[in-house]
Amino acid sequence: MNSTSTPTHCPYCALQCGMNLSPSPDGGVEVLERTDFPVNRGALCGKGRTAPAVLSSRVRLTSPLVRDGDTLVPATWDEALDRIAGALRRTRAEHGADALGVFGGGGLTNEKAYSLGKFARVVLGTSQIDYNGRFCMSSAAAGGMKAFGLDRGLPFPLEDIPRTGCVILVGSNLAETMPPSLRYLTELKENGGTLIVVDPRRTKTAEQADLHLAPRPGTDLALALGLLHLVVAEGRTDEEYIRVRTSGWEDTRAAAMAHWPEYVERITGVSVPELREAVRMFCEPESAMVLTARGPEQQAKGTDTVGAWINLCLATGRAGRPYSGFGCLTGQGNGQGGREHGQKADQLPGYRKLDDPAARRHVAEVWGVDPDSLPGPGRSAYELLDALGTDIRTLLLMGSNPVVSAPRAAHVEERIKSLGFLAVCDVVLSETAELADVVLPVTQWAEETGTTTNLEGRVLLRRQAITPPEGVRSDLEVMHELAARLGVEKGFPTDPEEVFEELRRASAGGPADYSGITYRRLAEENGVFWPCPAPGAALDDRGAADPEDASLDVSADDPVRDEETAAGAHPGTPRLFLDRFATPDGRARFVPVTHRAVAEEPDDEYPVLLTTGRVVAQYQSGAQTRRVDELNAAAPGPFVELHPRLAARLGAAEGDPVAVVSRRGRAVAPARITHAIRPDTVFMPFHWPGEGRANTLTNPALDPTSRMPEFKACAVRLEAVKSGN
Ligand SMILES: Nc1nc2c(c(=O)[nH]1)N[C@H]1C(S)=C(S)[C@@H](COP(=O)(O)OP(=O)(O)OC[C@H]3O[C@@H](n4cnc5c(=O)[nH]c(N)nc54)[C@H](O)[C@@H]3O)O[C@H]1N2
Ligand SMILES: Nc1nc2c(c(=O)[nH]1)N[C@H]1C(S)=C(S)[C@@H](COP(=O)(O)OP(=O)(O)OC[C@H]3O[C@@H](n4cnc5c(=O)[nH]c(N)nc54)[C@H](O)[C@@H]3O)O[C@H]1N2
Ligand code: SF4
Ligand SMILES: [Mo]
């Protein structure tokens, strides 16, 4: 690191890798290694290394744009802001506040997410706000809440992974989605631990596994039930733990006993010997973990599926104990913090519930408004998008690109086009921004300061490293200006630290308590794990381990528990649930669940299952990474991954265009033929718009609790396409 470089974090995924940024000779900025941040210890993936390319004015927006007929033309900030404020005011006057919609993103900093939620409720008075994390984290969050009374993706730091005996990684392709984290799995194996990967595809991650289980998409719930059945049948339950630390075992046990291994084999395609081997590997060591990601979660039964994997952990005493536990691998840069501070339809800051009178009183007091003026819970993300043009007339969108990333995307695109008015804040002209009436160009990561909370629950300071280009403003400035135009002069500061200070107060006493965290501490301590209450406040009912408890040797080498922590300050909580769970009685709750089919089972007309996901070189809707030459060279476009047997039946050779047709539409992309996928399943990445858009096909069937769409399984048929068609 040289004297002019700034330590900060990557703009993309939830690993939030540390990096140093330094001015480069060509006037831009250069990424240098940063080894003092423990999560990645200097390692970066290609997206992180090339992230400065998106700062370049060659690809990013530098002027507001307003619609003039079929085109977007440059305008002044005042004109653009006036147009948005005018539309918001008119729609509200004509159709009421709930005709105003707000859609946020899990990539937004804590400060932005917090301000956006406040803006919707206080300035607009609308209940209609949700965000893209609904497509990402909501099933894991709902499952964690039910069982543990608290949702923090990982209840322990990543550094605990190499110290456990066995990890079951369910539907996560870490090797492509968080490459630097693969180190933790390598170290696990070096230490004698074992890795089980559950994925219908033999991914780069599955190649690392000691045991790879390849279930049919959408059957993880049955798989977990089958494993639990065997745990009981083989006498591998931890009865003492079940008695002391859990409730509800009998019903769960009964449900699992109905799922015989042979029945589970028929549903999942995973053989009984494989099931037995997995149970042996998971139960024999002293400690073990289950980690889930989008594979099992993005299902119309994602919440129950997460519950089933948690049940497996509880029955074997593998939660709330050192180096054991259930965790979910959060995805977006601020996927964790973004789901805590109020941009979610049912939520107030600090992970409080919008329908809880005490929570409303607390937050309303911080905001200086009457609790009764706060709207109630609104629609979930897909339901909100589906209501555009009918119930919702004007939409403010910040930090998402639903034209590419929402399920049943052609329908969503048509709903967006039917809006009376669309305002988009973005750094680039995304496919959704192209449809807007006004586009506001905003600052991004290296150009502004803010906090994010990584997948471990570690709150981080992402520092500004360079001056933003002329013509762009921050999302916080946008909210400040719009609030002022709508008659709210105070309460929307543009300085991120000032917003964070208010967030601290709003979160105080809530489940995600940030009140003991300051920018200064974040800078000095390289991040602080929540909950972290202000000095003197008690935490005992929130499942946090008592930091003074010397019997917990796990705390001995916590970097955040060293003496430099200011006297009286809470050190933060790297590990949750070691003493008690965050439920009223301190016990984890078993949730009885039973198998059910995917929302859309294959039939004669649509005989194949489509599942979707990611490749290493592209990020999400691709709005940012498709603007980076090096990444496009590595991953130039969409593809359909299919088994040689399916390809042969279709008469398709490698690279031939293949049409994938579902009840929602048709997409075409080149065939990628491989033995690494089940013969009854095809896979498409979702990073591209246009003809190869995977989400043209996906099914918006929603999980009844989390309202998560079923991105990971829908019925399709394949058609050969003659080249040139
Ligand atoms: N390169 C890259 N990295 C990213 C992102 C990105 O877009 N690109 N996005 C970030 C975000 S927001 C997220 S949420 C994470 C997501 O991270 P992951 O969850 O690792 O990513 P996915 O590729 O969506 O899904 C993981 C795996 O689930 C498998 N799968 C599909 N259907 C099923 C099923 O029914 N059951 C099981 N068990 N597995 C199934 C897929 O084959 C895939 O290999 O990645 C983050 N990191
Ligand atoms: N088929 C299928 N679809 C999926 C998934 C899947 O696995 N399969 N995964 C789902 C998941 S897990 C997720 S998280 C979603 C993600 O999908 P999207 O919500 O579309 O996420 P991004 O592509 O990251 O979009 C973020 C947008 O915000 C912009 N942006 C970046 N930083 C800022 C900022 O600071 N301020 C503002 N105003 N804008 C900013 C970016 O340029 C980009 O246009 O996709 C979901 N869709
Ligand atoms: S793994 Fe995630 S946080 Fe790390 S460099 Fe890659 S995209 Fe950035
Ligand atoms: Mo995500």
Side-chain angles (χ1 to χ4, degrees):
M1 164 170 164
N2 66 34
S3 58
T4 54
S5 75
T6 309
T8 191
H9 296 272
C10 176
Y12 299 118
C13 86
L15 211 52
Q16 284 296 283
C17 292
M19 55 170 65
N20 283 311
L21 291 180
S22 175
S24 61
D26 62 3
V29 64
E30 204 172 16
V31 173
L32 303 176
E33 193 178 70
R34 175 180 171 195
T35 50
D36 68 322
F37 184 61
V39 174
N40 64 309
R41 287 193 226 142
L44 296 171
C45 79
K47 298 186 295 301
R49 268 189 292 103
T50 58
V54 189
L55 299 164
S56 151
S57 54
R58 199 169 60 80
V59 301
R60 58 102 49 87
L61 295 164
T62 51
S63 164
L65 302 172
V66 298
R67 182 153 298 282
D68 179 11
D70 286 343
T71 56
L72 286 166
V73 297
T76 65
W77 269 93
D78 274 335
E79 184 187 351
L81 289 163
D82 286 344
R83 278 207 199 188
I84 300 173
L88 292 168
R89 218 181 290 117
R90 264 193 318 278
T91 301
R92 187 166 58 183
E94 282 170 30
H95 303 283
D98 273 357
L100 307 178
V102 177
F103 200 92
L108 301 177
T109 60
N110 289 314
E111 292 77 2
K112 295 178 183 188
Y114 170 83
S115 297
L116 194 63
K118 181 180 178 185
F119 182 84
R121 274 92 182 207
V122 173
V123 179
L124 304 181
T126 182
S127 66
Q128 299 301 307
I129 173 170
D130 210 50
Y131 81 122
N132 69 4
R134 185 73 70 172
F135 297 158
C136 181
M137 299 312 313
S138 55
S139 293
M145 278 292 188
K146 274 192 187 181
F148 305 129
L150 186 74
D151 156 45
R152 195 183 87 185
L154 290 180
F156 43 71
L158 285 168
E159 69 189 50
D160 281 7
I161 290 177
R163 307 197 222 171
T164 191
C166 174
V167 173
I168 309 186
L169 196 58
V170 192
S172 153
N173 186 9
L174 276 184
E176 299 215 45
T177 52
M178 296 180 188
S181 71
L182 211 53
R183 163 170 71 86
Y184 295 101
L185 299 179
T186 312
E187 287 173 12
L188 166 77
K189 294 206 287 175
E190 283 167 4
N191 293 346
T194 56
L195 175 66
I196 303 172
V197 170
V198 182
D199 196 308
R201 302 186 301 141
R202 189 168 178 82
T203 58
K204 289 208 176 81
T205 312
E207 280 171 9
Q208 307 292 315
D210 300 289
L211 178 64
H212 172 211
L213 308 179
R216 191 167 172 265
T219 63
D220 301 83
L221 174 51
L223 182 69
L225 281 159
L227 297 178
L228 184 55
H229 180 107
L230 284 170
V231 162
V232 177
E234 295 178 3
R236 296 184 188 267
T237 52
D238 185 337
E239 295 297 328
E240 166 76 5
Y241 175 94
I242 291 174
R243 195 171 52 72
V244 177
R245 297 213 54 191
T246 71
S247 61
W249 169 231
E250 273 316 309
D251 289 346
T252 291
R253 198 183 99 95
M257 292 327 280
H259 293 74
W260 288 90
E262 293 73 15
Y263 172 55
V264 169
E265 175 179 311
R266 271 203 311 280
I267 298 169
T268 62
V270 177
S271 72
V272 176
E274 286 174 310
L275 294 171
R276 285 194 194 282
E277 177 62 3
V279 165
R280 189 192 62 73
M281 286 168 67
F282 185 66
C283 292
E284 277 183 359
E286 208 171 304
S287 56
M289 294 175 176
V290 173
L291 303 176
T292 64
R294 299 310 81 73
E297 298 168 13
Q298 288 175 328
Q299 300 185 13
K301 52 178 177 292
T303 305
D304 282 1
T305 302
V306 165
W309 288 98
I310 293 177
N311 289 343
L312 180 69
C313 290
L314 295 178
T316 52
R318 283 146 176 356
R321 280 179 166 173
Y323 314 126
S324 274
F326 172 86
C328 131
L329 299 159
T330 297
Q332 297 184 84
N334 195 29
Q336 181 67 50
R339 70 182 190 258
E340 299 164 1
H341 298 298
Q343 60 176 333
K344 209 172 162 200
D346 56 355
Q347 189 192 61
L348 287 170
Y351 223 133
R352 289 185 156 92
K353 299 287 288 176
L354 189 51
D355 56 8
D356 168 6
R360 294 169 70 87
R361 275 198 304 279
H362 172 83
V363 174
E365 193 183 325
V366 174
W367 288 351
V369 299
D370 177 357
D372 292 336
S373 72
L374 298 176
R379 290 179 174 86
S380 76
Y382 178 76
E383 292 164 294
L384 191 157
L385 295 171
D386 191 36
L388 300 181
T390 51
D391 290 355
I392 298 173
R393 309 297 180 107
T394 290
L395 181 72
L396 172 64
L397 185 132
M398 193 177 274
S400 181
N401 185 13
V403 165
V404 179
S405 59
R408 195 185 173 198
H411 170 72
V412 165
E413 183 173 353
E414 179 255 317
R415 291 289 89 217
I416 290 173
K417 286 178 177 160
S418 75
L419 274 166
F421 192 91
L422 172 65
V424 174
C425 302
D426 207 309
V427 298
V428 295
L429 192 64
S430 72
E431 286 71 21
T432 310
E434 281 174 19
L435 305 178
D437 296 284
V438 176
V439 183
L440 298 177
V442 292
T443 50
Q444 45 177 324
W445 62 295
E447 301 161 350
E448 57 182 20
T449 292
T451 63
T452 59
T453 306
N454 84 343
L455 76 171
E456 307 166 287
R458 192 193 301 250
V459 186
L460 303 166
L461 187 61
R462 205 154 76 183
R463 293 178 186 80
Q464 180 176 0
I466 54 169
T467 314
E470 195 95 18
V472 308
R473 296 189 187 177
S474 75
D475 291 301
L476 294 179
E477 284 175 87
V478 168
M479 287 183 266
H480 173 86
E481 291 290 332
L482 289 176
R485 280 170 172 75
L486 293 164
V488 180
E489 299 286 342
K490 282 218 216 95
F492 291 89
T494 58
D495 171 24
E497 189 167 3
E498 214 178 307
V499 177
F500 190 79
E501 287 299 309
E502 187 183 302
L503 180 159
R504 290 176 61 196
R505 285 188 284 123
S507 76
D513 192 330
Y514 283 39
S515 59
I517 305 176
T518 59
Y519 270 29
R520 193 163 147 213
R521 276 191 71 177
L522 293 178
E524 286 170 358
E525 296 171 35
N526 237 336
V528 176
F529 291 81
W530 72 257
C532 179
L539 249 191
D540 47 344
D541 62 339
R542 275 168 274 159
D546 176 358
E548 306 304 326
D549 185 348
S551 70
L552 295 173
D553 66 328
V554 289
S555 65
D557 52 359
D558 277 346
V560 296
R561 290 187 183 188
D562 62 21
E563 293 94 79
E564 282 170 35
T565 307
H570 189 282
T573 314
R575 296 173 180 85
L576 292 164
F577 312 142
L578 291 176
D579 299 335
R580 67 194 310 281
F581 294 96
T583 52
D585 63 3
R587 289 162 178 265
R589 293 179 286 234
F590 278 102
V591 184
V593 290
T594 51
H595 165 70
R596 55 186 196 273
V598 296
E600 193 179 55
E601 277 288 341
D603 54 20
D604 290 348
E605 212 181 334
Y606 301 97
V608 175
L609 275 174
L610 167 72
T611 191
T612 59
R614 295 158 165 82
V615 298
V616 65
Q618 296 290 351
Y619 189 69
Q620 313 274 60
S621 73
Q624 291 151 289
T625 49
R626 281 186 280 110
R627 288 174 164 81
V628 181
D629 295 341
E630 191 181 325
L631 299 177
N632 282 334
F639 56 86
V640 182
E641 189 176 294
L642 76 172
H643 192 273
R645 234 184 286 159
L646 261 187
R649 221 179 297 151
L650 200 62
E654 178 74 13
D656 282 356
V658 170
V660 184
V661 185
S662 80
R663 288 186 176 82
R664 280 128 331 253
R666 173 189 169 97
V668 180
R672 195 177 278 189
I673 302 170
T674 168
H675 281 97
I677 188 165
R678 291 174 55 96
D680 58 2
T681 302
V682 297
F683 169 85
M684 288 181 78
F686 78 99
H687 309 293
W688 290 272
E691 193 183 43
R693 178 173 66 182
N695 276 319
T696 302
L697 307 165
T698 49
N699 185 1
L702 300 182
D703 179 282
T705 307
S706 67
R707 319 305 284 167
M708 166 74 85
E710 189 141 85
F711 286 118
K712 288 295 191 261
C714 74
V716 297
R717 71 165 173 269
L718 306 182
E719 291 170 1
V721 180
K722 293 272 173 311
S723 293
N725 266 13

